[in-house]
Amino acid sequence: MAETADKKDILRGGQFLVKETACEDVFTPEDFNEEQKMMKETVKEFVDREIVPHKERFEHKDYALTEEVMRKAGELGLLGIAVPEEYDGLGMGFVSTMLVCDYISGATGSIATAFGAHTGIGTMPITLYGTEEQKRKYVPKLATGEWFGAYCLTEPGAGSDANSGKTKAELSSDGKTYKINGQKMWISNAGFCNVFIVFARIEDDKNITGFIVENDPSNGISLGEEEKKLGIHSSSTRQVFFNDTVVPVENMLAGRGEGFKIAMNALNVGRIKLAAACLDAQRRVIDMGVKYANERVQFKTPIAKFGAIKSKLAEMATNAYASESASYRAAKNIEDRIAIRLDSGASHSEAELKGVEEYAIECSILKVAASEDMQNCADEGIQIFGGMGFSADAPMEAAWRDARISRIYEGTNEINRMLAVGMLVKKAMKGHVDLLNPAMAVGEELTGIPSFDTPDYSEVLSEEKAMVAKLKKVFLMVAGSAIQKYGPELEEHQQLLMAASDILIEIYMAESTILRTEKNVKRFGEDAQKEQIAMAQLYLYHAVDIITQKAKEGIVSFAEGDEQRMMLMGLKRFTKYQNQPNVIALRNLIAEKVTSENTYPF
Amino acid sequence: MAETADKKDILRGGQFLVKETACEDVFTPEDFNEEQKMMKETVKEFVDREIVPHKERFEHKDYALTEEVMRKAGELGLLGIAVPEEYDGLGMGFVSTMLVCDYISGATGSIATAFGAHTGIGTMPITLYGTEEQKRKYVPKLATGEWFGAYCLTEPGAGSDANSGKTKAELSSDGKTYKINGQKMWISNAGFCNVFIVFARIEDDKNITGFIVENDPSNGISLGEEEKKLGIHSSSTRQVFFNDTVVPVENMLAGRGEGFKIAMNALNVGRIKLAAACLDAQRRVIDMGVKYANERVQFKTPIAKFGAIKSKLAEMATNAYASESASYRAAKNIEDRIAIRLDSGASHSEAELKGVEEYAIECSILKVAASEDMQNCADEGIQIFGGMGFSADAPMEAAWRDARISRIYEGTNEINRMLAVGMLVKKAMKGHVDLLNPAMAVGEELTGIPSFDTPDYSEVLSEEKAMVAKLKKVFLMVAGSAIQKYGPELEEHQQLLMAASDILIEIYMAESTILRTEKNVKRFGEDAQKEQIAMAQLYLYHAVDIITQKAKEGIVSFAEGDEQRMMLMGLKRFTKYQNQPNVIALRNLIAEKVTSENTYPF
Ligand SMILES: Cc1cc2nc3c(=O)[nH]c(=O)nc-3n(C[C@H](O)[C@H](O)[C@H](O)COP(=O)(O)OP(=O)(O)OC[C@H]3O[C@@H](n4cnc5c(N)ncnc54)[C@H](O)[C@@H]3O)c2cc1C
Ligand SMILES: Cc1cc2nc3c(=O)[nH]c(=O)nc-3n(C[C@H](O)[C@H](O)[C@H](O)COP(=O)(O)OP(=O)(O)OC[C@H]3O[C@@H](n4cnc5c(N)ncnc54)[C@H](O)[C@@H]3O)c2cc1C
């Protein structure tokens, strides 16, 4: 874990935007160590044995099966990956926890959700914020799957606005217990969990407070019916009612009024893990899609040979590859950051908390990008299957339905888009990321005379890297001027913020994809990576289009006349290719590989 | 019906691309006559009374309810709108048939499908190709809902490649009957229909032949179980097996080997009707979406006030408005074309057939555009509802699932995309649409010196109209060069064809939207149409982006060096705005209207 912890200038969260990253400094799935590779195989085998054969039962709301599989995952140690050994976990690094989350989530969203809710938001608040007693009492049980956890934040009137909940916690006159009253909604794992993390308000506190509440029906806890849902049919989702539920004061998490902070930090981890949970699901959809396309013959031709289908397979593979690249890059940054903190004497929980919080921007970016990639992947999966895609006897429709939840929970994608930019601006204000100077430099470049040199882009991916550097200037130009224009009122210009966020997201995803590929080209040679190079180019190409559109939209909304013209000129300059990529040829190359290997081969 | 039939130069199918259309020459929903308005109200009331209150039953596979509602629709005459009066129908014009299909399909895809399969592909082949005896025997029963029809084209091995079916029809030795053997798949209405249109092959004919087959289990006809499907849960979809099914020779439709032509022509009508079937569904989703957004409060604010939500509502409304505009424009073209044929002595069926066939390109365009608009609309509908969007107790998830089928049946959207361009090229070859001369003119313009005049765009929508004219040049430039380059082998360059098709689609949709708005501005004044103007501008803006991307993709795939540079320069010129629209402001304006009216108000 400590391999890179001694690096001094490891990138801070959000700094990717203003610093160039060397490809040697990114972690890639090709860097998995032996232990991680074994872990990956173990989890894949587990899924193929315990989940895949029962797909149909998962679609038929077999909640007991989910519990059973979770229990088995616990027996294998898979629920305790992130938990320190002293609390009966495996105490593995952040990358390994991502990896398990990735591969265990591929076959059904029901397990992805149950696993995420239990190991993430259900357990983490205790490992991270619990007292020693709380940890000793609860974490070993949760880490082994003897007990299951759930997380009660949302209420009928408090969703995105999580701090506005009405659930109350009232201190008893003897000061020994709190009495909790309120209604929680959409609680994953509610049907079989043993312990709830509950957020409630004490008196008229500004912020809510977190509590560990054991599930005990005799203590005023009751559940609503299972919600009828579009997808994740075997994930238990219920309302939870607390009616004079008595909780000992020792079960308060962190301090009074600290609940909102806990909730938000738990969500940071939840978000990057959710991105991981969208990875193997994409791989599996691509695998099933290409197998079908190779077998299905129409017009005397396997449909995999049609350009329309090749195009889909290539785009699906490219997005999966991109979301892998970015997810593991950020995961390793977090792992390294944790290691640095540990080295300088922080406790495990302190180190972990700060490590993840540092990359909260990246966590939001990944949540949005990976969930949308997954949705598109399943959507094209259906389309490849034609009429069979619409059949519940074929695998695609469930993948599509299950994918839909990832754009809603752990903060909707709208909220995460706004958070990503919002947090970046805050970091800039605090001086943690220097946006001002780079933005000013871009401003000067805009008014200066552009260079007419023709750069040498003969080296592989060099034009792409130069493009990413220019795209960063686009963000700085747009966001910088917007901040100047609106100051703190920028918050009210949500459409502009959303546009800026899309630019940010595309930059991070494209850069991560290119860096992973560059690193692998250096190690394995250009020839061995030609499809990966094509994917990096294809991803970037779309990123340039999206960024051009969003930047234009933003610029025209707040700049007029000469200023607008100057910025639009800058935009043109910063998005200009020297060599226009032939995306149709790129897609063909990628699709050839996918179809000839008859699976997602990257 | 004959109002415009005397117009000499009514636009031929596909000609929109090379001719300018005056706004006075397009029909718009604002042109509905009194009869049509009444019809619309009747159908809406029917849906609100007979379908909406039973939404839940429709989600729970209540096939009998579908049959019951269809029966009631028959009693009201709604199944016979398109059927001539002599066969007990209402004999209304094409626009009215579109309108009924539009408004009856809004509340559930189950009824949309049952209605479409019955009145369209289930009945039309007989009204259009039947002999007088066949029509007299079957059509009145189908027009009144005494009987129901289904359409058996698809087989396990023959979907997109519809002419490859293995179902056989063998003539008896006495020449009086055919014996049909084979397996049909995905047959809508199979569970309750009385008559099947069945396509089968006689001997080793190149093309299949159509038959009218009465549903009689004692005649070797058996059904598979109801398919388990992603959506349209109360639409009956089954396999149909024919085992030595005896059919009198009189029941052959048109001639031997004419089946493929029948199938394709039935699909033309089916496609434009399917576009209609995606319209009220969009309106209803928008209506429910805005009502929810106005009521749901987070952060002490109705979410409708957040830019992120405004943006969604504006885009949803704009796409619905665009698909309405284009659907009714084409519908009226078809109606007029039919009237011209009737005037010149053609029979009803001949006139109708040729009228629709003429606009087969537009039918494919509309099928693709409206089905994708509907899908996006429902997708954003879910997102507006947040967690509730994922609940089966809220209306959005069913809309989303139901929408998914429209991109698959009546020809997948890939097949329709390729057809649209393919048919256009064929028309050009046959001299029905002159693409060559306009393409050559564009070629000359490319090599000539561009005009540096600043056009006067002070009149409302004038820049938009000029832009559409330029976008047509983009299509001519890209498609023209591609044809030159590849000749008949163009067919094998599917990615290029798909890109060209997207350009074509966007041009038709944008132009229709602008023309509708222009016409209404002239009648009702600019002030009364300011949101419609904004929608036309917003739609066009996205169209320009899509066209830019797709054209670039195409050009770079087949042109190199100077040729590529010249075409990319042309592309830039043809997609350049004089005044960059402020799309954020446009969206805000549109959203204000939608939220203040608390419904889809256009
Ligand atoms: C299957 C499922 C499982 C879940 N599991 C859990 C769980 O285990 N524990 C738990 O506590 N919660 C859980 N949730 C709740 C989930 O986190 C919330 O649904 C989510 O946070 C959105 O909140 P909401 O549903 O109230 O939507 P709302 O907040 O009402 O959002 C509605 C719409 O408004 C938008 N919006 C809201 N505020 C703003 C704003 N300020 N600016 C712009 N747009 C805004 C949203 O993006 C969305 O589009 C679950 C939900 C589901 C559906
Ligand atoms: C709910 C439902 C109801 C239906 N109702 C009816 C009905 O009433 N009657 C009836 O006859 N049929 C019906 N169908 C069948 C429907 O028309 C077919 O499913 C559809 O035409 C696609 O055929 P397929 O399923 O065989 O897909 P395939 O043809 O196998 O297509 C698979 C994929 O390959 C692509 N593809 C195929 N050929 C090409 C090509 N040449 N170039 C590029 N891409 C290609 C397709 O676009 C698709 O993405 C229904 C289907 C469903 C799901």
Side-chain angles (χ1 to χ4, degrees):
Chain A
M1 183 149 103
E3 316 166 20
T4 49
D6 49 342
K7 255 188 223 138
K8 288 282 134 47
D9 58 345
I10 144 174
L11 213 62
R12 301 202 56 167
Q15 271 188 346
F16 71 89
L17 194 64
V18 287
K19 291 218 165 153
E20 211 183 315
T21 303
C23 71
E24 293 76 12
D25 291 341
V26 298
F27 180 84
T28 79
E30 291 73 23
D31 294 309
F32 287 154
N33 61 29
E34 284 313 310
E35 186 188 69
Q36 287 163 337
K37 282 183 198 155
M38 260 178 49
M39 205 69 206
K40 168 176 148 179
E41 289 313 316
T42 306
V43 179
K44 278 171 72 169
E45 275 165 29
F46 177 78
V47 170
D48 286 331
R49 188 178 64 238
E50 303 292 343
I51 302 178
V52 173
H54 307 302
K55 269 294 286 175
E56 215 185 310
R57 287 173 63 194
F58 281 107
E59 293 320 317
H60 287 90
K61 311 199 175 178
D62 190 340
Y63 304 103
L65 178 59
T66 295
E67 191 182 340
E68 186 188 319
V69 169
M70 286 292 287
R71 191 96 45 205
K72 287 182 180 164
E75 284 158 17
L76 264 183
L78 301 178
L79 303 180
I81 307 287
V83 172
E85 286 166 292
E86 53 203 295
Y87 308 110
D88 292 1
L90 297 182
M92 295 176 92
F94 200 83
V95 169
S96 299
T97 72
M98 282 285 283
L99 185 157
V100 172
C101 188
D102 171 350
Y103 284 94
I104 207 165
S105 304
T108 169
S110 296
I111 290 295
T113 299
F115 182 86
H118 170 70
T119 62
I121 51 184
T123 302
M124 294 288 274
I126 311 181
T127 45
L128 296 185
Y129 289 98
T131 60
E132 194 49 40
E133 290 66 42
Q134 290 170 342
K135 289 196 235 184
R136 236 179 265 137
K137 180 161 180 198
Y138 295 108
V139 176
K141 288 199 170 75
L142 293 167
T144 54
E146 187 187 334
W147 276 22
F148 291 109
Y151 177 83
C152 298
L153 177 61
T154 305
E155 301 183 7
S160 297
D161 187 5
N163 201 25
S164 70
K166 291 203 173 70
T167 299
K168 287 279 177 195
E170 199 187 330
L171 188 64
S172 60
S173 48
D174 63 4
K176 290 194 175 151
T177 58
Y178 280 96
K179 209 163 62 188
I180 296 189
N181 278 289
Q183 175 185 4
K184 294 290 177 177
M185 198 174 177
W186 297 119
I187 306 310
S188 301
N189 292 358
F192 65 96
C193 78
N194 310 81
V195 57
F196 298 104
I197 310 295
V198 180
F199 297 92
R201 193 175 312 277
I202 300 173
E203 294 175 338
D204 287 324
D205 286 4
K206 179 161 167 272
N207 287 325
I208 50 184
T209 301
F211 295 90
I212 307 171
V213 181
E214 294 183 23
N215 188 1
D216 176 1
S218 72
N219 187 15
I221 299 177
S222 57
L223 302 178
E225 291 292 292
E226 284 291 348
E227 298 286 348
K228 301 184 206 86
K229 306 189 302 291
L230 166 61
I232 54 169
H233 277 174
S234 289
S235 163
S236 170
T237 324
R238 298 186 172 205
Q239 298 203 39
V240 181
F241 301 91
F242 298 97
N243 188 3
D244 287 343
T245 301
V246 179
V247 182
V249 288
E250 309 89 75
N251 274 27
M252 186 190 285
L253 263 177
R256 173 171 172 174
E258 300 275 296
F260 189 56
K261 201 179 69 187
I262 300 175
M264 292 302 107
N265 277 320
L267 286 176
N268 285 335
V269 188
R271 281 162 192 162
I272 187 167
K273 293 278 173 70
L274 181 53
C278 292
L279 298 179
D280 201 48
Q282 290 181 70
R283 292 185 204 104
R284 284 180 187 259
V285 164
I286 295 168
D287 177 71
M288 294 182 291
V290 67
K291 286 188 165 65
Y292 189 85
N294 273 330
E295 271 171 26
R296 174 71 176 168
V297 171
Q298 286 290 279
F299 303 97
K300 302 196 170 71
T301 315
I303 60 169
K305 295 227 181 298
F306 292 125
I309 302 294
K310 284 195 212 174
S311 168
K312 291 183 202 303
L313 290 170
E315 297 285 353
M316 291 157 84
T318 299
N319 288 331
Y321 179 75
S323 39
E324 279 175 354
S325 308
S327 297
Y328 284 102
R329 174 192 187 188
K332 179 66 165 154
N333 284 150
I334 291 174
E335 183 167 301
D336 287 347
R337 179 66 51 184
I338 293 170
I340 291 174
R341 295 250 170 195
L342 285 174
D343 279 359
S344 51
S347 70
H348 165 82
S349 44
E350 216 181 323
E352 179 120 355
L353 260 176
K354 291 290 171 190
V356 178
E357 202 184 343
E358 176 70 35
Y359 296 96
I361 295 171
E362 287 79 359
C363 292
S364 281
I365 288 176
L366 285 166
K367 192 272 182 184
V368 172
S371 65
E372 294 178 4
D373 286 339
M374 176 60 221
Q375 185 82 66
N376 292 333
C377 185
D379 187 65
E380 292 289 25
I382 290 182
Q383 204 64 18
I384 290 174
F385 271 58
M388 278 309 289
F390 203 69
S391 168
D393 291 329
M396 291 307 187
E397 62 92 34
W400 192 64
R401 288 186 289 100
D402 284 3
R404 192 66 186 80
I405 189 58
S406 299
R407 293 160 56 203
I408 298 171
Y409 63 16
E410 308 274 347
T412 65
N413 281 14
E414 292 73 32
I415 295 290
N416 273 292
R417 280 193 156 86
M418 283 175 309
L419 276 176
V421 178
M423 291 186 291
L424 183 66
V425 172
K426 262 194 210 132
K427 280 203 161 191
M429 302 285 185
K430 284 192 191 159
H432 292 174
V433 174
D434 175 16
L435 292 187
L436 190 65
N437 286 304
M440 274 165 49
V442 174
E444 276 160 32
E445 193 177 338
L446 279 182
T447 49
I449 298 159
S451 151
F452 290 105
D453 295 351
T454 310
D456 174 13
Y457 287 144
S458 53
E459 202 174 323
V460 64
L461 292 176
S462 57
E463 175 158 14
E464 288 72 18
K465 286 172 67 184
M467 180 63 90
V468 168
K470 290 192 290 181
L471 296 177
K472 294 179 182 178
K473 292 180 186 176
V474 173
F475 181 87
L476 290 168
M477 172 176 82
V478 175
S481 321
I483 294 171
Q484 236 175 8
K485 189 94 181 179
Y486 293 120
E489 266 152 46
L490 181 55
E491 240 181 71
E492 278 144 50
H493 295 267
Q494 275 198 359
Q495 291 196 58
L496 179 55
L497 280 180
M498 303 284 278
S501 193
D502 283 333
I503 299 174
L504 190 67
I505 291 169
E506 291 304 324
I507 291 170
Y508 190 70
M509 300 302 291
E511 181 179 73
S512 304
T513 309
I514 292 165
L515 290 173
R516 170 184 180 183
T517 311
E518 189 191 10
K519 185 175 186 183
N520 288 334
V521 166
K522 288 192 178 164
R523 290 189 281 195
F524 311 126
E526 195 175 324
D527 216 50
Q529 294 284 307
K530 55 181 189 302
E531 290 87 9
Q532 286 87 336
I533 294 170
M535 289 192 290
Q537 290 169 331
L538 182 60
Y539 192 93
L540 177 67
Y541 183 85
H542 293 311
V544 170
D545 269 339
I546 295 169
I547 289 172
T548 306
Q549 285 174 23
K550 298 292 167 178
K552 205 169 44 165
E553 189 175 312
I555 290 165
V556 177
S557 79
F558 64 74
E560 289 182 334
D562 282 346
E563 192 194 356
Q564 185 188 101
R565 261 188 297 280
M566 188 186 67
M567 290 176 73
L568 291 176
M569 293 256 290
L571 177 60
K572 210 168 268 176
R573 212 200 288 169
F574 296 148
T575 54
K576 196 179 162 76
Y577 275 104
Q578 184 169 304
N579 308 293
Q580 275 291 336
N582 181 346
V583 289
I584 291 182
L586 294 176
R587 288 198 203 104
N588 284 337
L589 182 72
I590 301 160
E592 286 310 336
K593 179 77 175 175
V594 175
T595 47
S596 70
E597 305 266 337
N598 205 26
T599 188
Y600 175 77
F602 305 110
Chain B
M1 183 150 101
E3 317 166 18
T4 50
D6 50 341
K7 256 187 223 138
K8 289 281 134 48
D9 58 346
I10 146 174
L11 214 63
R12 300 200 57 165
Q15 271 188 346
F16 72 88
L17 194 65
V18 286
K19 291 219 165 152
E20 210 182 316
T21 303
C23 71
E24 292 77 13
D25 291 342
V26 299
F27 180 84
T28 78
E30 291 74 23
D31 293 310
F32 286 154
N33 61 27
E34 285 312 310
E35 187 187 67
Q36 286 163 336
K37 282 182 199 156
M38 261 177 51
M39 205 69 206
K40 169 176 146 180
E41 289 313 315
T42 305
V43 180
K44 278 170 73 169
E45 274 166 30
F46 178 78
V47 170
D48 286 331
R49 189 179 62 239
E50 303 291 344
I51 303 177
V52 173
H54 307 302
K55 269 294 287 174
E56 214 186 309
R57 287 172 63 195
F58 281 106
E59 293 321 315
H60 287 91
K61 312 201 173 174
D62 190 340
Y63 304 103
L65 178 59
T66 295
E67 191 181 341
E68 186 189 318
V69 169
M70 286 291 288
R71 191 97 42 206
K72 286 183 181 163
E75 282 160 18
L76 264 183
L78 301 177
L79 303 180
I81 306 287
V83 172
E85 284 166 293
E86 53 204 295
Y87 307 111
D88 293 1
L90 296 182
M92 294 175 95
F94 200 83
V95 170
S96 299
T97 70
M98 283 284 283
L99 185 157
V100 172
C101 187
D102 171 349
Y103 285 94
I104 208 165
S105 304
T108 170
S110 296
I111 290 295
T113 299
F115 182 86
H118 170 71
T119 62
I121 51 186
T123 302
M124 294 287 277
I126 311 182
T127 46
L128 295 184
Y129 289 97
T131 62
E132 195 49 39
E133 290 66 41
Q134 290 170 341
K135 287 196 236 185
R136 236 179 267 139
K137 181 160 181 198
Y138 295 107
V139 176
K141 288 199 170 76
L142 293 167
T144 54
E146 189 187 335
W147 277 22
F148 291 108
Y151 177 85
C152 298
L153 176 61
T154 306
E155 301 184 7
S160 298
D161 187 6
N163 201 26
S164 69
K166 291 204 173 72
T167 299
K168 287 278 179 195
E170 199 188 331
L171 189 64
S172 61
S173 47
D174 63 4
K176 290 196 177 151
T177 58
Y178 279 96
K179 210 162 62 188
I180 297 187
N181 278 289
Q183 174 183 6
K184 295 291 178 176
M185 196 172 179
W186 296 120
I187 307 309
S188 300
N189 292 357
F192 65 96
C193 79
N194 310 82
V195 56
F196 298 104
I197 310 294
V198 180
F199 296 92
R201 192 176 312 277
I202 300 173
E203 295 175 337
D204 287 325
D205 287 3
K206 178 161 166 274
N207 287 325
I208 50 184
T209 301
F211 296 91
I212 307 171
V213 181
E214 294 183 23
N215 188 1
D216 175 2
S218 71
N219 186 15
I221 299 177
S222 57
L223 302 178
E225 291 291 292
E226 285 290 347
E227 298 286 349
K228 301 185 206 84
K229 307 189 300 292
L230 166 60
I232 54 169
H233 277 171
S234 289
S235 164
S236 170
T237 323
R238 298 184 172 207
Q239 298 204 40
V240 182
F241 301 91
F242 298 98
N243 188 3
D244 287 343
T245 301
V246 178
V247 182
V249 287
E250 309 88 76
N251 275 25
M252 186 191 283
L253 263 177
R256 174 170 172 173
E258 299 276 296
F260 189 54
K261 203 179 67 187
I262 300 176
M264 292 302 107
N265 277 320
L267 286 178
N268 285 336
V269 188
R271 280 162 192 161
I272 187 167
K273 293 279 174 72
L274 181 53
C278 293
L279 298 179
D280 202 47
Q282 289 180 71
R283 293 185 205 104
R284 283 181 187 260
V285 164
I286 295 167
D287 177 70
M288 295 182 291
V290 67
K291 285 188 166 64
Y292 188 84
N294 273 330
E295 270 171 27
R296 173 72 175 168
V297 172
Q298 286 290 279
F299 303 97
K300 302 196 170 72
T301 314
I303 60 169
K305 294 227 181 297
F306 292 125
I309 302 294
K310 284 194 212 174
S311 168
K312 291 183 202 303
L313 291 171
E315 297 286 353
M316 291 156 85
T318 299
N319 288 332
Y321 179 75
S323 39
E324 280 175 355
S325 308
S327 298
Y328 284 102
R329 174 192 187 186
K332 179 66 166 151
N333 284 149
I334 291 174
E335 183 167 301
D336 287 347
R337 179 64 55 186
I338 293 170
I340 290 175
R341 294 251 170 195
L342 285 173
D343 279 358
S344 52
S347 70
H348 165 83
S349 44
E350 216 181 322
E352 178 119 356
L353 260 175
K354 291 290 170 190
V356 177
E357 202 184 344
E358 176 69 35
Y359 297 96
I361 295 170
E362 286 80 359
C363 292
S364 281
I365 289 175
L366 285 166
K367 192 273 183 184
V368 172
S371 64
E372 294 178 3
D373 286 339
M374 175 61 222
Q375 185 83 67
N376 292 334
C377 185
D379 187 65
E380 292 290 24
I382 290 183
Q383 204 65 16
I384 290 174
F385 271 58
M388 278 309 289
F390 203 69
S391 168
D393 291 328
M396 291 308 187
E397 63 92 33
W400 191 63
R401 287 186 288 100
D402 285 3
R404 193 65 187 80
I405 189 57
S406 299
R407 293 160 56 202
I408 298 171
Y409 64 15
E410 308 274 347
T412 65
N413 281 13
E414 292 74 33
I415 294 290
N416 273 292
R417 280 193 157 85
M418 282 176 310
L419 276 175
V421 179
M423 291 186 291
L424 183 65
V425 172
K426 263 195 210 132
K427 280 204 161 194
M429 302 285 184
K430 285 191 190 160
H432 292 175
V433 174
D434 175 18
L435 292 187
L436 191 65
N437 285 304
M440 275 166 48
V442 174
E444 275 159 34
E445 193 177 337
L446 278 182
T447 49
I449 298 159
S451 150
F452 290 106
D453 294 352
T454 310
D456 173 13
Y457 288 145
S458 53
E459 202 173 323
V460 64
L461 293 176
S462 57
E463 174 157 16
E464 288 73 19
K465 286 172 67 184
M467 180 63 90
V468 168
K470 291 191 291 181
L471 296 178
K472 293 178 183 179
K473 294 180 185 176
V474 173
F475 181 87
L476 291 167
M477 172 176 82
V478 175
S481 321
I483 293 171
Q484 234 176 8
K485 189 95 181 179
Y486 294 121
E489 267 154 44
L490 180 56
E491 240 180 72
E492 278 145 49
H493 295 267
Q494 274 198 0
Q495 290 196 59
L496 179 54
L497 280 180
M498 303 284 277
S501 193
D502 282 333
I503 299 174
L504 191 67
I505 292 169
E506 291 303 324
I507 290 171
Y508 189 70
M509 300 302 290
E511 181 179 72
S512 304
T513 309
I514 291 166
L515 290 172
R516 171 185 180 183
T517 311
E518 190 192 9
K519 186 175 185 183
N520 289 333
V521 166
K522 287 194 179 164
R523 291 189 280 195
F524 311 127
E526 196 176 325
D527 215 51
Q529 295 283 308
K530 56 182 189 300
E531 291 86 9
Q532 285 88 337
I533 295 170
M535 289 193 289
Q537 291 170 330
L538 182 59
Y539 192 93
L540 178 67
Y541 182 86
H542 293 310
V544 170
D545 269 338
I546 295 168
I547 290 172
T548 305
Q549 285 174 23
K550 299 291 167 177
K552 204 169 45 165
E553 189 175 311
I555 291 166
V556 176
S557 79
F558 64 75
E560 289 182 335
D562 283 344
E563 191 193 357
Q564 186 189 100
R565 259 188 298 280
M566 190 185 67
M567 289 176 73
L568 290 177
M569 292 256 291
L571 177 60
K572 211 168 269 178
R573 213 199 289 168
F574 296 148
T575 54
K576 197 178 161 73
Y577 274 104
Q578 185 170 303
N579 308 293
Q580 276 290 338
N582 181 346
V583 290
I584 291 181
L586 294 176
R587 288 199 203 104
N588 284 336
L589 181 72
I590 300 160
E592 286 308 337
K593 178 79 174 174
V594 175
T595 47
S596 71
E597 305 266 337
N598 206 25
T599 188
Y600 175 77
F602 306 108

